[in-house]
Amino acid sequence: MDLVRHLYYFTVVAEERHFGNAAIRLGMAQPPLSQRIKRLEEELGARLFDRSARQVRLTEAGRLLLPEAREVVARVERLRELVRHGEARTLKVALPPDLGARTIAALVARFREENQGLRLAPAEMWTADQVSALSEGVIDVGVVRHPVTAPGLRFGQVLVQTPGVLLAETDPLAAASSVHLQDLAGRELLLFPQDGEPGAHAETLSDCRRNGFVPVEVHHGIGLGLVLAGSAVAFGAEVSLPGVVWRPLLGSPLAWRVSTAWRAETPEVMAFAAAAVRTLKESAGMTEEGAALARQVRRRPAMGFLA
């Protein structure tokens, strides 16, 4: 158990006298906060709060612990500040694994060039893992896919990526200059993991169904081996891989919304957010959300509407 962190949770609950308000202040859900207070009580062998449906009050043990807990939390924070000022500043960032090697490389290079006094520590991480990592302070800022729901999380400018489809070069659709989602009927789909990108995963499949494509089977992953083998198609940015071709989707029916996310706003975090917006526009072809929504709806000859 992280005793210092649990003591910090205890001080916040003691100040708020309300688990729900304390959870909001801490940027977390109430059940895990209640569980951590219970674990602290088990660790110390004493009840710290008297809980009732109407109010939360400190017990005698809680009243004795509160000033000591505040002192411990303050001392540890002072130690962390000393360490931070004694070492080179490090910004811990996370990026979706399928953002693309060129885009990740461009973003890292740009940030390092513009912030030479700061060490960048990048890691690949799906959105769901980033939300947990931001809450726990494991990372400072990330690039996430929407929709994302997390109390206390703040977001940068939302950009939109309109993916195309990746096909085996032997696929009959590879001969076309563009592909409608309906044309993918009967094919299996390779998509990012559902547990890693729950919101974007659900929205993508919903958009597919609405536009006439229900995959026979959905595989989760980012490797293009199944596409290369002709066993599945995938959505994403254009890639250069022998045996795989990329074609735009008619009418841009899919729109993946992306932004930076953070909890504590610092100059370093904001510098990364600004670099990310520029890089995602230039290297990944993403557009501002309003511009993407203005895309046209066109009728497909003899086939209905193109979204």
Side-chain angles (χ1 to χ4, degrees), residues 64-269:
L64 291 172
L65 176 63
L66 183 56
E68 301 298 330
R70 285 172 170 157
E71 179 62 22
V72 169
V73 172
R75 281 179 177 273
V76 171
E77 184 55 35
R78 285 196 293 272
L79 285 173
R80 286 174 175 160
E81 282 296 321
L82 286 173
V83 172
R84 279 196 289 267
H85 284 86
E87 293 182 344
R89 292 177 301 160
T90 299
L91 186 68
K92 294 169 288 186
V93 307
L95 305 161
D98 63 340
L99 193 59
R102 290 183 179 177
T103 301
I104 291 175
L107 175 54
V108 171
R110 164 172 273 165
F111 184 82
R112 286 174 173 166
E113 181 181 354
E114 296 176 352
N115 301 271
Q116 297 185 6
L118 187 64
R119 177 175 172 269
L120 188 69
E124 293 186 353
M125 199 177 294
W126 296 109
T127 294
D129 296 326
Q130 289 191 43
V131 170
S132 298
L134 287 165
S135 177
E136 297 294 330
V138 176
I139 60 173
D140 301 303
V141 57
V143 175
V144 299
R145 281 202 178 86
H146 293 263
V148 178
T149 302
L153 210 58
R154 305 177 67 179
F155 301 104
Q157 182 180 6
V158 176
L159 301 177
V160 174
Q161 178 184 12
T162 52
V165 60
L166 295 159
L167 308 154
E169 65 179 3
T170 55
D171 191 305
L173 291 177
S177 59
S178 58
V179 175
H180 193 279
L181 275 177
Q182 288 180 343
D183 299 330
L184 301 177
R187 289 169 171 79
E188 298 178 9
L189 174 65
L190 177 67
L191 191 60
F192 33 66
Q194 183 176 14
D195 57 352
E197 300 288 348
H201 187 278
E203 282 195 348
T204 299
L205 293 184
S206 176
D207 288 340
C208 285
R209 287 193 296 271
R210 189 166 54 251
N211 287 276
F213 172 44
V214 179
V216 174
E217 186 174 351
V218 178
H219 305 278
H220 297 138
I222 59 173
L224 294 177
L226 292 179
V227 177
L228 187 60
S231 299
V233 299
F235 300 129
E238 187 170 2
V239 299
S240 178
L241 178 66
V244 174
V245 298
W246 179 89
R247 294 291 180 265
L249 288 168
L250 278 169
S252 302
L254 304 181
W256 291 342
R257 292 170 292 139
V258 174
S259 81
T260 47
W262 64 87
R263 283 191 177 277
E265 183 174 314
T266 66
E268 294 82 4
V269 165

Side-chain angles (χ1 to χ4, degrees), residues 1-69:
M1 183 179 72
D2 184 341
L3 181 59
V4 175
R5 184 175 293 275
H6 282 66
L7 288 174
Y8 173 61
Y9 294 148
F10 162 71
T11 62
V12 175
V13 175
E15 291 168 0
E16 296 291 338
R17 297 291 201 275
H18 190 283
F19 276 84
N21 292 343
I24 293 172
R25 181 172 155 188
L26 290 166
M28 61 191 299
Q30 183 174 337
L33 175 60
S34 298
Q35 292 168 7
R36 290 173 186 181
I37 294 299
K38 184 178 180 181
R39 287 188 61 193
L40 179 62
E41 291 176 326
E42 292 172 350
E43 180 73 17
L44 298 176
R47 286 181 58 81
L48 302 174
F49 295 102
D50 284 327
R51 305 166 175 82
S52 71
R54 300 180 58 185
Q55 59 182 347
V56 175
R57 295 188 302 178
L58 283 168
T59 62
E60 181 62 24
R63 282 192 289 273
L64 291 172
L65 176 63
L66 183 56
E68 301 298 330

